[in-house]
Amino acid sequence: MKNLLSCGSRFTTVKILSSLAAFLIVLLFSGSAQAVDISSADLVGFRGGFWRVEKAKDLPSTIQAKRYTPYLELFFSHGMKKGFSLELNLGAGYRGDTKFTVPGEYHTENWNLYPVSGKVKYSLFSYYPQKRFQPYLDLGLTFLTASSTYNNPNYPGVTFISTKTAFGALAGWGVDFAVSSRILANLDFQYRWVGFDQAVGAIKDYSGPQLTF
């Protein structure tokens, strides 16, 4: 009886997921969605994904830090000349705890990353403005603030706060897809080149790829 119930439950789950997938496919590719000129539209939206810090894999065994940083950003895009737009990104990444271990004791640092970026975006299919599918390339600059709260075992009960800043650059590509005349789906890939003068969670160089949707 338990096996039959389990099979029935799995079948129901698969049926629901299949129905949802079919609905999304119909929604995305339905001809009822009005075509818009994505390449010159003014946009506002959210993206979320991950930022990989490449140097986190090279740390000594006495330091434990995450390589992948959950990342969210709010973006504003303003269409300019045909195919070109300017975009402003306000982001936030959570590094989690970085653990430093020495004989007999350890301490942790908790860092958050707050990049503000501006970039120029070029839509590759801008000469076909009614296309609902628009791949693009972009290039820009970024200003990164890192903020930390941490406790030192030598000073019990005291919480330390630290802030550091850095400048860098970014470049990448992405795809915009018009779900409707007012709603776009977006997949965005960036590579950031940015580094601090001093270590932030044991790492100075925070360069790495970033994938958001």
Side-chain angles (χ1 to χ4, degrees), residues 83-176:
F84 289 91
S85 58
L86 286 177
E87 184 171 301
L88 174 67
N89 301 330
L90 307 177
Y94 176 66
R95 286 292 296 149
D97 289 333
T98 300
K99 183 177 180 180
F100 298 81
T101 304
V102 295
E105 65 181 36
Y106 71 89
H107 76 275
T108 60
E109 296 181 8
N110 188 300
W111 288 91
N112 294 316
L113 306 175
Y114 303 102
V116 177
S117 307
K119 60 186 181 181
V120 177
K121 174 177 159 183
Y122 176 67
S123 296
L124 298 176
F125 291 169
S126 60
Y127 288 100
Y128 306 95
Q130 298 307 313
K131 278 189 172 293
R132 297 170 60 191
F133 175 84
Q134 283 281 1
Y136 62 82
L137 302 174
D138 53 22
L139 179 68
L141 299 174
T142 186
F143 175 72
L144 179 60
T145 299
S147 177
S148 171
T149 58
Y150 63 95
N151 300 99
N152 190 317
N154 297 319
Y155 301 92
V158 179
T159 299
F160 294 85
I161 300 175
S162 180
T163 301
K164 295 181 174 63
T165 59
F167 287 94
L170 54 83
W173 56 266
V175 176
D176 286 324

Side-chain angles (χ1 to χ4, degrees), residues 190-207:
Q190 299 287 325
Y191 194 96
R192 292 181 185 266
W193 294 271
V194 61
F196 296 92
D197 293 333
Q198 299 177 332
V200 171
I203 304 169
K204 288 185 177 181
D205 188 354
Y206 270 74
S207 299

